[in-house]
Amino acid sequence: MSKIALITGATSGIGKATAEAFADLGINLILCGRRLERLYEIQEILSEKVKVNILTFDVRNRAEVEKALHTLPEELRAIDILVNNAGNAHGLTPIQDGNPDDWDAMIDGNVKGLLYVSKTIMPWMIARKKGHIVNISSIAGKATYPNGNVYCASKAAVEAISEGMRLDLNPHGIKVTNVAPGAVETEFSLVRFKGDEKRAEAVYNGFVPLTPQDVAESIAFAVTRPAHVVVADMTLFPVAQASATVLRRDS
Ligand code: NDP
Ligand code: 8X3
């Protein structure tokens, strides 16, 4: 029987590429995001390969998350793979100049949103004694860089939550994979810099960044291991990157 995966943040970047990679593997999809038009477009394309359902909700809104997930009929609650990918950075400033609205967006989206989605889906996995949760963290969760402060904190929280999930879900046979990419060219920087295209493009100047497909391929690898194997943690860099702060650019 085909597996079912629910992917948050499937309208763009890593989430969208993961949906495409899963469709190639014949995994049926539940795709989530706030931009409904984009979800429809992706649904239309991927429906040629697998069954695609869509759900729109803002991961920051607990009531909205619970309501949307509970609209899933019984057969779609048999989720085999949850990819907690939705998230973004908002701003890149010294902490003393940080905007509390940006802090709320990152902590509510990247941390609490991941928890809200998982809170509904974990019991469904526990009841079936199987499942795989893939949390998209970041190199920013493993090391803090200047001006990254609250974004890095939100991803450090994802690292801790992945570990906590792996410990607490261990008796239930549920796999947990933490994925920590370095620089991936997506809409990430456009969102971080509030639509400033020049500033966003400059982030990827002078080196070859990861593509969302590179990350999706690694996620696809993790979810296709044999039943007794879990890829616990993956860090992915473009070759030009050596750490959260060391990135070699062509001059
Ligand atoms: P994109 O901006 O391209 O994609 C972000 C996705 O998250 C979109 O689909 C967006 O959907 C969704 N999303 C954001 N906020 C919310 C929200 N409040 N409610 C629901 N959905 C939301 O960026 P990436 O693909 O790069 O980012 C995906 C994940 O990867 C993030 O967690 C990010 O932190 C992480 N990451 C990114 C790296 C990079 O360099 N790009 C590196 C390491 C990690 P919509 O707007 O339609 O709701
Ligand atoms: C995204 C990668 O280094 O911009 O999480 O924080 S970084």
Side-chain angles (χ1 to χ4, degrees), residues 89 137-141 145 151-152 155 181-184 188-189 192 203-204 241 243-244:
S137 173
S138 167
I139 188 57
Y145 50 82
Y151 176 67
C152 297
K155 290 299 181 177
V184 191
F188 176 86
S189 293
R192 169 169 252 173
V203 172
Y204 310 106
Q241 187 170 10
S243 76

Side-chain angles (χ1 to χ4, degrees), residues 9 11-12 14 34-35 58-59 85 88 137 151 155 182 184 186:
T11 55
S12 161
I14 295 169
R34 290 167 298 181
R35 288 170 287 182
D58 185 328
V59 294
N85 163 76
N88 275 119
S137 173
Y151 176 67
K155 290 299 181 177
V184 191
T186 61

